[in-house]
Amino acid sequence: MEPAEVAARERVTSVLREEADDISDRWVQLQLAQPSLNGEVSEAELGEEADALVGALLSGLDRGLPVERVVSSHEEIHRAVSEFSLRRARRGVSPTATSLAVLSLKEALLKAVQRRSRDGEDLFHSAVLINRLLDSAGALSFEIFVEGREEIIRRQSQQLLEVSTPVVRLWRQVLAVPLIGTLDTARTQVVMENVLQAIQEHEALVAIIDITGVPTVDTAVAQHLMHTVNAVRLMGADCIISGIRPPIAQTIAQLGIDLSTIMTRATLADALGEAVKLTDAVPSTSAPLAQR
């Protein structure tokens, strides 16, 4: 490490140690002035984050790690930046605003260094060190933010799938799954899991899958439905597909899809009537009935 860099590091470390509160306060005010933050994070929370990150930077520089590795290798800094980014991801703050918030710490830190020295060369080397340090922190914050948002999106997508595939108990030992929208592999898996779980919980004998709200039925959708029906039968229950509208019936016939082994009805009311007959007439130990 060159002498100028060593001196700059000592200078920045000294400033962080002796003016930590002023740097944190300055950084909070700079963030509050950013319109992109939109009040999503309170001033108190910003203060806590600032204290944590400034303290972590001081700890990292004290360890003697190369500047390029301080952010990536020092656990305290990595944790502080990660928590900073994830909190903003959960609040819906943009990734750009999050990275800019980290980078705005440069201004607060450089201002504190400038109060200590007026020498142009000293300020230059200090600015270079601060840039290298906080550019790494900004890059890490962006990476963590994106990962956090992707996880949130995956979790929300799973929750939407579960909400969009409710299993309703219509009658004694009769369940219904009203489907709306496109039926793909992921959604079919959720339907199957929910139906099988509900059959076990309610000791159901009949499950009605209503596709009135499914816009089109192609070969893939038909295959998904047949897999679900087979799984329901393995649980010892019958499965009825309702909502077979004329256009869907015509499409199925044109595609040559064989649904002869599946009980189908035109409306949910027809399917419920059939289900009531099945539960009244057939013992629960009987095998599932074939297409009538």
Side-chain angles (χ1 to χ4, degrees):
M1 188 180 299
E2 297 182 0
E5 184 177 345
V6 172
R9 183 171 185 141
E10 291 176 352
R11 191 178 305 110
V12 172
T13 302
S14 176
V15 168
L16 283 169
R17 180 178 295 109
E18 298 174 15
E19 300 189 31
D21 291 341
D22 290 340
I23 294 171
S24 296
D25 292 343
R26 173 66 176 167
W27 187 32
V28 168
Q29 296 308 313
L30 288 172
Q31 292 183 80
L32 290 174
Q34 292 181 1
S36 54
L37 195 59
N38 292 327
E40 295 292 343
V41 186
S42 69
E43 185 172 354
E45 289 174 317
L46 291 175
E48 293 176 1
E49 292 174 345
D51 291 340
L53 189 50
V54 169
L57 289 174
L58 174 60
S59 176
L61 288 174
D62 273 339
R63 290 291 181 87
L65 293 168
V67 175
E68 293 79 7
R69 292 177 50 201
V70 168
V71 173
S72 61
S73 301
H74 191 262
E75 182 179 352
E76 186 178 349
I77 295 181
H78 197 285
R79 181 173 61 252
V81 174
S82 297
E83 291 176 353
F84 175 92
S85 299
L86 289 174
R87 184 177 291 110
R88 278 157 174 70
R90 298 187 186 104
R91 299 292 179 84
V93 181
S94 71
T96 300
T98 301
S99 294
L100 288 175
V102 175
L103 298 178
S104 66
L105 179 54
K106 288 182 183 181
E107 182 177 342
L109 187 50
L110 282 170
K111 192 73 173 178
V113 171
Q114 190 176 23
R115 287 197 297 267
R116 293 292 191 93
S117 176
R118 295 293 181 179
D119 184 81
E121 186 174 355
D122 289 346
L123 290 175
F124 171 77
H125 289 295
S126 297
V128 169
L129 185 141
I130 291 171
N131 279 329
R132 289 162 61 192
L133 181 64
L134 294 180
D135 284 349
S136 298
L140 176 62
S141 72
F142 188 87
E143 179 183 348
I144 296 296
F145 182 96
V146 171
E147 291 176 355
R149 284 297 292 271
E150 288 177 350
E151 176 59 30
I152 291 171
I153 291 171
R154 283 194 295 269
R155 186 165 59 249
Q156 291 176 339
S157 296
Q158 181 64 27
Q159 291 171 347
L160 286 173
L161 277 176
E162 294 174 355
V163 170
S164 65
T165 55
V167 179
V168 183
R169 185 173 182 268
L170 294 181
W171 194 258
R172 178 178 57 87
Q173 297 179 313
V174 178
L175 304 175
V177 185
L179 298 178
I180 299 175
T182 304
L183 191 63
D184 56 16
T185 302
R187 194 175 181 202
T188 302
Q189 184 64 31
V190 174
V191 170
M192 188 182 301
E193 292 174 357
N194 290 350
V195 170
L196 298 182
Q197 182 65 31
I199 288 173
Q200 183 179 31
E201 291 178 359
H202 298 288
E203 298 182 349
L205 296 179
V206 181
I208 302 172
I209 299 179
D210 183 68
I211 62 172
T212 303
V214 177
T216 59
V217 174
D218 55 17
T219 304
V221 172
Q223 290 294 330
H224 293 325
L225 291 174
M226 293 178 72
H227 290 323
T228 303
V229 170
N230 291 335
V232 169
R233 287 174 171 171
L234 288 173
M235 292 288 292
D238 286 294
C239 190
I240 304 174
I241 306 294
S242 66
I244 307 294
R245 305 184 304 280
I248 289 182
Q250 184 177 2
T251 300
I252 291 174
Q254 290 174 345
L255 292 174
I257 300 172
D258 183 12
L259 297 182
S260 60
T261 60
I262 301 175
M263 187 180 299
T264 60
R265 292 294 181 268
T267 66
L268 179 59
D270 293 338
L272 178 57
E274 189 64 36
V276 172
K277 294 177 184 177
L278 291 174
T279 55
D280 288 342
V282 181
S284 60
T285 57
S286 297
L289 297 181
Q291 169 78 13
R292 291 190 175 183

